[in-house]
């Protein structure tokens, strides 16, 4: 029985009834034929208990092929929506429904639809960090892993609208020579990194390579040695011999970097305001082990997508998955 007070809160607010939460999660998972998928920005313990940890593209690809009955998406709401659209018959859970995304929120579907109408002869490319309703007015979805290649799969003179991230859009424009019309949105975490503090760190660690996510401001991207999705940043660090890396993205990725590269030193890029934990996504971090356990126990909160919206949103998502498969991504 799902309590009204939980519905108001958006998660199961109950004291955990087990001493061994890891064992209890694994037991429930088995009993219910559930899988746990986690984004690299989740707390380390959630990443460690997940069946799969990945970036936004890999999570969507995994969701599309799983035969589990329940999919627990330890990430944010748009990731749960994408999984639900791809697997309408499965139960898709995000342990805390309040796990939103400032970037997705910067692009309300009704305003984006008007923007699209104002550019009638344009192809609409949307970052996966959007609501299902925004995807429903999109021609093709991209993630930070495949955005460049998908944009380049269109003829050079194709008129393109790109939303919602102006930083990712500017970056793609700069590396492809395109002139896409950009929606003016951004992620509150990636906008925070301080160029001055990164330069100071470089003085302290002269051999350090700067790894930046393309959602960062262009001043940060310009001083980076490598720009890529969370998975690409991790792979880059694995392949290089340098000892030190300054990482300009949400600091959750450092967990997997440290796990996979035990002899290397990963330094989180500092935000402008050194008194806050602004390089942590407060939405991503709403998911906890307790909420994960309770969400599996009660099979709630469930992600629901209006079927009329899902019917439209599935096409640009599938198009992305098809192009990515052809590109071997
Ligand atoms: P990737 O998962 O594509 O690296 O994007 C990061 C992000 O901001 C997810 O919200
Ligand atoms: Fe959204 Fe930024 Fe959090 Fe990623 S880090 S989920 S883009 S708010």
């Amino acid at each position: 029985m799902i309590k009204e007070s939980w519905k108001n809160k958006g998660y199961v607010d109950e004291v955990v009834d087990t001493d061994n939460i890891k064992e209890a999660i694994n037991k429930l998972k088995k009993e219910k034929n559930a899988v746990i998928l986690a984004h690299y920005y989740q707390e380390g313990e959630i990443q460690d208990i997940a069946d799969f940890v990945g970036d936004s593209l890999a999570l969507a690809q995994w969701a599309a092929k799983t035969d589990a009955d329940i999919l627990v998406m330890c990430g944010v709401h748009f990731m749960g929506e994408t999984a639900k659209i791809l697997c309408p018959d499965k139960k898709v859970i995000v342990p805390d429904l309040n796990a939103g995304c400032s970037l997705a929120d910067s692009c309300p579907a009704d305003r984006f639809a008007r923007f699209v109408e104002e550019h009638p002869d344009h192809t609409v490319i949307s970052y996966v960090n959007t609501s299902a309703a925004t995807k429903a007015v999109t021609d093709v979805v991209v993630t930070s892993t495949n955005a460049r290649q998908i944009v380049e799969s269109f003829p050079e003179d194709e008129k393109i609208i790109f939303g919602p991230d102006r930083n990712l859009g500017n970056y793609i424009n700069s590396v492809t020579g395109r002139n896409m019309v950009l929606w003016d949105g951004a992620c509150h975490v990636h906008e925070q990194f301080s160029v001055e503090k990164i330069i100071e760190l470089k003085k302290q660690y002269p051999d350090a390579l700067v790894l930046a996510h393309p959602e960062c401001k262009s001043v940060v991207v310009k001083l980076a040695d490598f720009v890529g999705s969370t998975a690409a940043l991790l792979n880059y660090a694995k392949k290089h011999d340098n000892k030190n890396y300054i990482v300009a993205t949400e600091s959750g990725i450092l967990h997997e970097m440290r796990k996979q590269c035990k002899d290397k030193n990963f330094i989180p890029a500092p935000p402008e305001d050194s008194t806050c934990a602004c390089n942590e996504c407060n939405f991503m971090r709403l998911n906890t082990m307790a909420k994960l356990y309770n969400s599996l126990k009660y099979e709630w909160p469930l992600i629901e997508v209006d079927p009329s919206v899902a019917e439209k949103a599935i096409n640009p998502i599938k198009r992305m998955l098809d192009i990515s498969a052809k590109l071997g991504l």
Side-chain angles (χ1 to χ4, degrees):
M1 177 74 179
I2 308 306
K3 293 184 188 164
E4 274 312 305
S5 62
W6 298 350
K7 287 188 194 162
N8 293 336
K9 286 189 166 161
Y11 59 91
V12 181
D13 184 23
E14 184 176 88
V15 177
V16 168
D17 57 1
T18 171
D19 293 336
N20 191 338
I21 194 161
K22 285 185 196 164
E23 203 178 88
I25 288 173
N26 282 325
K27 190 162 171 272
L28 281 174
K29 213 175 66 175
K30 230 180 184 168
E31 280 167 15
K32 296 181 180 230
N33 188 28
V35 282
I36 300 173
L37 309 187
H39 190 269
Y40 289 120
Y41 295 165
Q42 293 294 282
E43 292 291 351
E45 52 186 346
I46 292 184
Q47 294 189 42
D48 289 343
I49 204 158
D51 296 282
F52 177 74
V53 187
D55 67 0
S56 307
L57 175 63
L59 292 174
Q61 288 169 326
W62 227 92
K65 66 174 193 215
T66 182
D67 53 12
D69 296 318
I70 300 177
L71 207 152
V72 187
M73 181 63 78
C74 294
V76 291
H77 196 268
F78 75 80
M79 295 174 176
E81 276 191 336
T82 303
K84 181 67 186 174
I85 292 165
L86 288 166
C87 318
D89 301 330
K90 296 190 194 306
K91 286 186 172 176
V92 176
I93 292 169
V94 171
D96 187 334
L97 276 188
N98 303 297
C101 168
S102 58
L103 180 51
D105 290 349
S106 71
C107 190
D110 54 342
R111 280 180 48 214
F112 192 64
R114 279 203 296 279
F115 186 65
V116 170
E117 271 169 31
E118 284 158 19
H119 300 83
D121 48 353
H122 286 60
T123 293
V124 184
I125 301 186
S126 293
Y127 196 28
V128 71
N129 298 41
T130 41
S131 66
T134 297
K135 288 185 179 78
V137 290
T138 291
D139 294 308
V140 57
V141 167
V142 297
T143 74
S144 56
T145 291
N146 55 26
R148 178 182 183 159
Q149 287 96 326
I150 290 183
V151 167
E152 283 179 331
S153 72
F154 287 93
E156 267 176 48
D157 58 355
E158 184 91 10
K159 291 181 179 164
I160 297 174
I161 286 176
F162 186 92
D165 189 11
R166 59 170 176 261
N167 294 324
L168 177 62
N170 271 321
Y171 172 68
I172 302 294
N173 273 343
S174 73
V175 292
T176 60
R178 306 281 171 131
N179 190 20
M180 301 185 296
V181 180
L182 306 183
W183 179 264
D184 192 18
C187 154
H188 71 298
V189 179
H190 288 88
E191 287 255 293
Q192 290 293 328
F193 296 112
S194 157
V195 181
E196 292 74 23
K197 288 179 185 165
I198 294 173
I199 293 171
E200 274 309 306
L201 273 175
K202 283 278 287 178
K203 286 184 195 151
Q204 240 176 294
Y205 300 93
D207 81 308
L209 295 174
V210 178
L211 311 181
H213 196 281
E215 287 175 26
C216 294
K217 288 179 293 191
S218 62
V219 278
V220 171
V221 164
K222 275 187 193 134
L223 64 78
D225 296 287
F226 180 72
V227 181
S229 71
T230 42
L233 300 183
L234 173 64
N235 286 333
Y236 184 91
K238 277 160 68 178
K239 282 191 198 131
H240 283 72
D241 291 332
N242 295 47
K243 169 95 180 136
N244 295 302
Y245 298 83
I246 299 165
V247 185
T249 189
E250 212 273 0
S251 59
I253 184 69
L254 272 74
H255 178 74
E256 198 62 23
M257 286 175 163
R258 287 172 179 149
K259 213 164 134 182
Q260 295 202 28
C261 312
K262 293 211 164 41
D263 53 341
K264 294 177 185 168
N265 182 31
F266 296 99
I267 308 152
E272 309 265 1
D273 178 356
S274 47
T275 63
C276 71
C278 307
N279 54 6
E280 284 183 8
C281 173
N282 49 329
F283 298 112
M284 284 275 183
R285 304 302 179 109
L286 286 175
N287 295 321
T288 61
M289 287 291 274
K291 288 176 189 166
L292 168 56
Y293 167 73
N294 280 329
S295 70
L296 260 172
K297 182 174 164 192
Y298 289 98
E299 300 179 21
W300 191 88
L302 294 173
I303 295 286
E304 304 289 357
V305 181
D306 182 324
S308 65
V309 173
E311 198 189 349
K312 292 182 187 137
I314 194 157
N315 298 320
I317 297 172
K318 280 214 166 137
R319 201 167 162 190
M320 168 185 78
L321 294 176
D322 289 346
I323 300 174
S324 300
K326 280 190 197 121
L327 292 167
L329 296 169

